[in-house]
Each structure stands twice: as C-alpha cells, then as structure tokens.
Amino acid sequence: MGQWEIFLSPYKQAVDELKVKLKGMRSQFGIINTNSPVEFVTGRVKPLASIYDKTLEKGLAFEPSKQLGDELGDIAGLRIMCQFVDDIATVTELIRQRNDMRVVEERDYITHNKPSGYRSYHMIVEYPVETIQGKKVVLAEIQIRTLAMNFWASIEHSLNYKYKGMFPEEIKNRLQSAAEAAFRLDEEMSSIRSEIQEAQAYFSEYKEASNPSLLSEKERDT
Ligand SMILES: Nc1nc2c(ncn2[C@@H]2O[C@H](COP(=O)(O)OP(=O)(O)OP(=O)(O)O)[C@@H](O)[C@H]2O)c(=O)[nH]1
Ligand SMILES: Nc1ncnc2c1ncn2[C@@H]1O[C@H](COP(=O)(O)OP(=O)(O)OP(=O)(O)O)[C@@H](O)[C@H]1O
C-alpha cells in the first residue's frame, strides 16, 4: 500500500463516520416528526491532485505527514445542506454541543461573504478515529450552507476550474449577480418558511398514510 493511501486512510474513515453521524441528525428529527434543519449531507477526501496544488500554493512540502493534514485542515471534508438560512445556526449549535468532535475554528462567510460572492459557514473540527494502530485525531472541515448557496458555489467551482480563477469580466459580473439572486432567494424562502414547512409536514404524513410500510412499528401496531 502506498504511503499516501496509508496517510489518507484515517481521513477516509473520518469522512465515512461523520457522514453517517451527520445524516443521523436528519433521521432523528424525522423520528420526532420535526422538520430537519439538515436537508442532505455530502463528504469527500481531498483528491491527491488538489492536495498537491494546495501544497504548491501554500509553499508546503508535498509529503504525507500529520503536519500537512493540520496545515490544510480540509483533507476530510463534510458539507451539510440546509433549506433555510436560520437552519445553519441550529446545525452549528448541534455540532458545538457534540462530545465526539471538538470545534477548533469557525469562519462565517455568511455574515461576511467572500469577494467572489461565496457564502457558507465553515467549522474545522478535531475528530478522533479508532484504528488498528490506536486513536488518531484528524481535522475535518464541515461546510454548512443553504441549497441556494450550494447551487451558486458548485457552479462557481466548476467555472473556477475552467478559468483557473481568471474569470472574464462578463462571467465575473454574472456570478456576482447570481450570488445576489441566491441571497434574495434565501430571504424570500425564509419569509414563507412556516408555510413551506406546514406543506412539507402535510406531504410526508400523506406519503406515510398512503404507504403503510413507511409507518413506524408503533403506529403499525396500534
Ligand atoms: N466555490 C467556492 N468555494 C469557496 C470559495 N471560497 C472558499 N470556498 C470553499 O471553502 C474552502 C475553504 O476556504 P477558506 O475558508 O477560504 O480556506 P482557506 O484555507 O483560507 O482557503 P483555501 O486555501 O482556498 O482552502 C475551499 O476549499 C472551498 O471549498 C469561493 O469563492 N468559491
Ligand atoms: N468540506 C467539503 N465537503 C464536501 N465536499 C467538498 C468539501 N470541500 C470541497 N468539496 C468538494 O470536493 C471536490 C474536490 O475538492 P477540492 O479539495 O478540489 O475542492 P476545494 O476544497 O473547493 O478546492 P481548493 O482546495 O482549491 O480550495 C469539489 O467538488 C468540492 O466542491
């Protein structure tokens, strides 16, 4: 097994475990019939090519070491998508209260969006993974954003890849106004939040009623 594969394996384990745990928050809200602040969760281990690019950018040695993992902070990356901007604060608080990870850094690109128009809330957490060589504490980045923020960021990320950050003026302006449109979309959705959530609760009850196999054991037995 290559040195990189060995080095990355606790990060992969952290991503796998954290995906299950963060998705678990969604199902737990479902069980108590409460609208979940978590819409969906994704995760990835930073591709080696991106690790390489980042070491060049930051002037770090491209060598598998704990120090590199700590310098980059995002080798293990999770992303939590929320429906509404207010859900982000609920999710960050749930993360701060957990005992299985420790928040070491927070960056609020929602109150202070990036010049590109990027908005998201970032947390860096220390997370211990149990391996056959004992406990290894790794850093993981958790990005928390709305669906609208995510839509904008994924489009901008693809374009960034294409233009290597050197956007033509026209594209730059369009992206700025798309970021404003995403911001307004979040505001509009927040203003009709209770309407939306009532409709969603009604819809999920209706789905359960028309498909008894979705009912919980308790409900089926009564
Ligand atoms: N699409 C998009 N994503 C961004 C942007 N800025 C930050 N991100 C995401 O947020 C991550 C961390 O960014 P920062 O908080 O700026 O961290 P940093 O170490 O100062 O910056 P990087 O060196 O870019 O990782 C990046 O790796 C991206 O996934 C942006 O302008 N557009
Ligand atoms: N915390 C994260 N959770 C889930 N996916 C992520 C996270 N960070 C980045 N990604 C996604 O993983 C893919 C590859 O990651 P990569 O590290 O190249 O992106 P990046 O972190 O946005 O880039 P950069 O290191 O240049 O800032 C991209 O599609 C990116 O959107």
Side-chain angles (χ1 to χ4, degrees):
M1 196 193 242
Q3 287 304 305
W4 278 104
E5 205 176 341
I6 295 170
F7 166 69
L8 292 175
S9 76
Y11 293 93
K12 183 178 179 312
Q13 191 175 328
V15 170
D16 291 345
E17 290 182 11
L18 285 169
K19 263 203 287 188
V20 171
K21 291 181 175 189
L22 299 172
K23 284 179 186 185
M25 297 196 325
R26 179 178 166 82
S27 14
Q28 287 158 30
F29 278 101
I31 291 164
I32 58 166
N33 274 329
T34 306
N35 287 302
S36 169
V38 175
E39 184 63 9
F40 68 95
V41 177
T42 62
R44 65 97 180 91
V45 174
K46 199 171 184 72
L48 207 50
S50 290
I51 296 181
Y52 178 71
D53 290 347
K54 247 317 82 104
T55 56
L56 284 188
E57 212 176 283
K58 298 197 169 194
L60 304 167
F62 181 59
E63 279 158 17
S65 68
K66 166 121 178 46
Q67 195 189 341
L68 178 65
D70 291 349
E71 295 266 9
L72 297 187
D74 71 338
I75 294 185
L78 283 304
R79 201 170 267 167
I80 302 177
M81 266 53 69
C82 307
Q83 287 191 337
F84 302 101
V85 178
D86 288 350
D87 293 335
I88 296 175
T90 311
V91 171
T92 53
E93 196 44 40
L94 285 169
I95 291 174
R96 285 187 206 108
Q97 282 168 9
R98 293 186 73 109
N99 293 318
D100 54 351
M101 59 190 83
R102 190 171 76 89
V103 179
V104 292
E105 194 184 317
E106 298 193 31
R107 289 192 189 186
D108 181 356
Y109 297 126
I110 294 176
T111 319
H112 307 285
N113 58 293
K114 287 208 155 189
S116 59
Y118 178 76
R119 289 185 307 138
S120 216
Y121 197 94
H122 292 191
M123 295 176 118
I124 305 284
V125 299
E126 268 179 358
Y127 181 73
V129 287
E130 292 294 335
T131 77
I132 50 172
Q133 282 100 24
K135 180 165 97 170
K136 290 196 175 164
V137 180
V138 297
L139 291 184
E141 177 195 62
I142 308 179
Q143 301 178 344
I144 306 142
R145 42 170 81 159
T146 62
L147 298 169
M149 294 174 194
N150 189 48
F151 180 41
W152 184 91
S154 17
I155 301 288
E156 197 259 3
H157 192 273
S158 322
L159 287 172
N160 213 335
Y161 190 76
K162 177 174 174 191
Y163 292 108
K164 302 196 165 43
M166 311 287 283
F167 291 121
E169 204 55 24
E170 159 83 4
I171 305 273
K172 202 171 132 193
N173 293 339
R174 295 257 177 219
L175 279 171
Q176 297 271 3
S177 68
E180 278 159 34
F183 175 78
R184 283 199 306 278
L185 178 61
D186 274 335
E187 280 194 325
E188 289 297 326
M189 291 302 182
S190 293
S191 69
I192 50 167
R193 179 187 174 123
S194 52
E195 286 279 334
I196 297 171
Q197 292 196 320
E198 259 172 48
Q200 287 173 341
Y202 172 77
F203 184 65
S204 68
E205 265 171 41
Y206 170 79
K207 259 201 315 196
E208 277 182 6
S210 56
N211 183 355
S213 65
L214 291 174
L215 292 175
S216 70
E217 233 167 76
K218 186 168 153 274
E219 284 167 314
R220 269 202 306 269
D221 293 347
T222 50

